[in-house]
Amino acid sequence: MLENKTGMIFGVANQRSIAWACAQACAERGARLAFTYQGERLKENVEKLTANLDGSLVVPCDVTNQADVDAAFQSVGKEFGKLDFLIHSIAFAPKEALEGEFVMTTREAFQTALDISAFSLTQLALAALPLMTDGGSIVSMSYYGAEKVVPNYNVMGVAKAALESSTRYLAEDLGKHNIRVNAISAGPLNTLSARGVKGMGAMLKHIAANAPMRRNVEAREVGNTALFLVSDLSSAITGETIYVDCGFNIIGIQRHFDET
Ligand code: 1JT
């Protein structure tokens, strides 16, 4: 399905990363992939994970450093010649911002969260444009806290709202180049990022009890949706946020616990 296509994947930290699930789905369907990592401490992880992916490339890229971004796309241009898709699976907020009350968010935490988690999509889309000569597809990761209040998600909810809105504006700008831009709103997963969050275990239980499908999402299901969105199967879908959450977001009032 992705034979002769090349993709760039941002946000692999370890084997549980959503970005890695996306990479596996795409690699299994024949894509040639470039991976970026943030900081030297993640370099070895990413190199080990990708060691047996034929023709893959691993480059450093901290999105807060434009020179890194330019160098990463230059490497991809040199090695691959063109780019067909890009998967954005990066987010950050200071730990203190993901606990307590949203009203306590500092200017610095707000700026950091929005810069790394939302602005970076626009930054990477612009950098990818000259390489997407044959059209392309850009996919990012969001979460329900963008739309509705989720305890502790706080400034990340604001950042994801900006990410989803950016998806729509980018879809309009890049549509004329046959580049599609979509977001996946994934249900919570037990990843490195989620590990740092207080009450994650209780939240996973709440989803398993209340989602229409009575279970949590698996990373491979998010990866398969990313595969669909970067493939030609989704050729008329752009600007959307697609929920991959076992239906949790459609529920208005939760059913009573003793009704199965
Ligand atoms: C970040 C973190 C972005 C955790 C994230 C995230 N997007 C989803 N999660 C998991 C999550 C976190 C909270 C939550 C529900 C899901 C941590 C590092 C910064 C970026 O609310 C209860 C807080």
Side-chain angles (χ1 to χ4, degrees), residues 91-93 98 143 150-153 156 160 188 193-194 197 200 203:
F92 179 75
L98 293 175
Y143 177 63
V150 170
N152 300 318
Y153 203 60
M156 273 311 306
K160 292 301 192 186
S193 283
V197 174
M200 196 68 198
M203 187 161 69

Side-chain angles (χ1 to χ4, degrees):
M1 190 150 59
L2 301 182
E3 286 78 18
N4 303 314
K5 288 198 194 273
T6 58
M8 209 169 165
I9 303 199
F10 292 77
V12 177
N14 62 29
Q15 72 284 354
R16 299 177 103 106
S17 296
I18 294 173
W20 179 237
C22 296
Q24 286 178 291
C26 295
E28 279 169 19
R29 298 318 193 285
R32 189 174 176 204
L33 301 174
F35 295 87
T36 67
Y37 60 89
Q38 186 269 319
E40 281 304 299
R41 76 213 150 78
L42 294 172
K43 182 180 184 183
E44 205 183 302
N45 271 5
V46 178
E47 281 178 344
K48 277 188 182 154
L49 280 172
T50 60
N52 47 20
L53 294 185
D54 283 352
S56 64
L57 186 66
V58 177
V59 292
C61 186
D62 176 338
V63 293
T64 62
N65 182 350
Q66 186 60 41
D68 266 26
V69 173
D70 294 341
F73 281 88
Q74 195 169 21
S75 302
V76 168
K78 199 165 138 245
E79 292 294 320
F80 293 179
K82 61 145 191 173
L83 190 64
D84 298 296
F85 65 90
L86 185 155
I87 296 176
H88 175 287
S89 188
I90 54 188
F92 179 75
K95 193 170 164 40
E96 320 79 73
L98 293 175
E99 50 196 43
E101 292 197 289
F102 172 71
V103 72
M104 298 305 290
T105 307
T106 63
R107 182 185 305 270
E108 199 192 348
F110 189 99
Q111 287 178 172
T112 300
L114 274 280
D115 186 22
I116 298 177
S117 315
F119 174 69
S120 62
L121 181 69
T122 299
Q123 177 186 24
L124 298 182
L126 183 65
L129 187 54
L131 290 177
M132 290 188 162
T133 48
D134 206 13
S137 175
I138 299 174
V139 176
S140 69
M141 298 301 150
S142 192
Y143 177 63
Y144 187 54
E147 231 189 283
K148 292 286 197 281
V149 173
V150 170
N152 300 318
Y153 203 60
N154 297 355
V155 73
M156 273 311 306
V158 176
K160 292 301 192 186
L163 182 79
E164 292 181 9
S165 185
S166 301
T167 297
R168 293 184 283 272
Y169 281 92
L170 290 170
E172 161 58 17
D173 285 352
L174 304 185
K176 56 180 164 302
H177 304 288
N178 196 29
I179 298 171
R180 299 181 292 107
V181 189
N182 293 287
I184 291 173
S185 186
L189 284 149
N190 195 9
T191 64
L192 184 66
S193 283
R195 286 287 178 88
V197 174
K198 259 196 288 181
M200 196 68 198
M203 187 161 69
L204 292 170
K205 274 191 187 150
H206 177 79
I207 305 288
N210 293 291
M213 296 181 73
R214 317 292 207 267
R215 65 172 179 85
N216 282 287
V217 175
E218 287 170 23
R220 59 173 297 128
E221 298 175 311
V222 178
N224 285 339
T225 305
L227 165 64
F228 165 70
L229 287 173
V230 303
S231 81
D232 294 336
L233 288 177
S234 59
S235 55
I237 300 177
T238 195
E240 294 294 331
T241 298
I242 298 191
Y243 275 92
V244 182
D245 68 342
C246 295
F248 183 79
N249 79 93
I250 68 163
I251 298 298
I253 297 177
Q254 263 71 33
R255 102 188 83 77
H256 193 268
F257 67 87
D258 63 7
E259 292 171 46
T260 54

